[in-house]
Amino acid sequence: DVKVTQSSRYLVKRTGEKVFLECVQDMDHENMFWYRQDPGLGLRLIYFSYDVKMKEKGDIPEGYSVSREKKERFSLILESASTNQTSMYLCASIGSGVYNEQFFGPGTRLTVL
Amino acid sequence: KQEVTQIPAALSVPEGENLVLNCSFTDSAIYNLQWFRQDPGKGLTSLLLIQSSQREQTSGRLNASLDKSSGRSTLYIAASQPGDSATYLCAVCLVSQGGKLIFGQGTELSVKP
């Protein structure tokens, strides 16, 4: 059974803190993605990665960075959390080549106070 | 720029009804189209994936169709049940961008007993 896991389901942080959101997949997928989901705005792509140590900006990368040191793990970093980064964060992965089903993690609900 | 639209935004039906959810997209250069289900506060669960060369896919009471030339997809749910209540999202996978998905805003479905 394929699986994408995220380190936390719920997270509460204070403004200015550095925040790490971790995502791990067990499918040996090359491509991994970070989205955020907000009411009225839908899902928006923050960053994605084609392979280890490779990253590409998505539609809303400002205020975020990412790290992919191992194939199975893709981390999203909020360098200095702000209240407008309160959101649901969803990680996903997909194999390269012929693109098939994209698998999502359970999400992390982040609240920045 | 690819845009994905879902109509209606919300739908309420009595149990047992057959129903259709609609998804339209502006650019036919897609690898595939995927339908997801999302329960409140949860991640996305993949329901059906249709490759660009296919016309439809079926899984149980669900049937999804794809007309790439007209930029449309429908998700048909037969004999709806209260457990089908959720938000349904469609997403197109872009040819040009490494498996990136562009999402619609979703249709919130409520099936009344």
Side-chain angles (χ1 to χ4, degrees), chain A residues 9-10 31 33 35 37 40-43 45 48 50 59 88 90 94 97-107 109, chain B residues 31-32 34 36 38 41-49 51 89 93-105:
Chain A
R9 290 284 286 120
Y10 300 95
N31 299 355
F33 305 82
Y35 297 87
Q37 185 178 30
L41 297 175
L43 278 101
L45 181 65
F48 59 108
Y50 290 124
D59 300 316
M88 170 71 106
L90 292 160
I94 186 172
V98 177
Y99 294 118
N100 286 306
E101 194 171 0
Q102 190 157 136
F103 294 94
F104 279 79
R109 170 72 65 184
Chain B
Y31 269 123
N32 57 52
Q34 199 166 350
F36 294 91
Q38 186 175 33
K42 302 288 180 64
L44 276 64
T45 300
S46 179
L47 296 173
L48 288 164
L49 177 133
Q51 300 291 355
L89 294 150
C93 182
L94 301 183
V95 168
S96 59
Q97 295 186 43
K100 173 183 174 179
L101 293 180
I102 304 294
F103 284 86
Q105 292 281 346

Side-chain angles (χ1 to χ4, degrees), chain A residues 48-112:
Chain A
F48 59 108
S49 169
Y50 290 124
D51 204 344
V52 175
K53 296 194 186 295
M54 297 185 71
K55 60 185 180 184
E56 296 280 343
K57 291 180 180 179
D59 300 316
I60 51 164
E62 297 78 18
Y64 303 94
S65 63
V66 290
S67 172
R68 186 128 181 243
E69 295 297 317
K70 292 185 177 181
K71 191 176 186 180
E72 67 270 18
R73 188 180 299 268
F74 190 35
S75 301
L76 180 69
I77 303 158
L78 287 65
E79 295 289 344
S80 177
S82 63
T83 55
N84 62 14
Q85 292 178 311
T86 291
S87 186
M88 170 71 106
Y89 290 88
L90 292 160
C91 173
S93 74
I94 186 172
S96 65
V98 177
Y99 294 118
N100 286 306
E101 194 171 0
Q102 190 157 136
F103 294 94
F104 279 79
T108 295
R109 170 72 65 184
L110 172 67
T111 301
V112 182

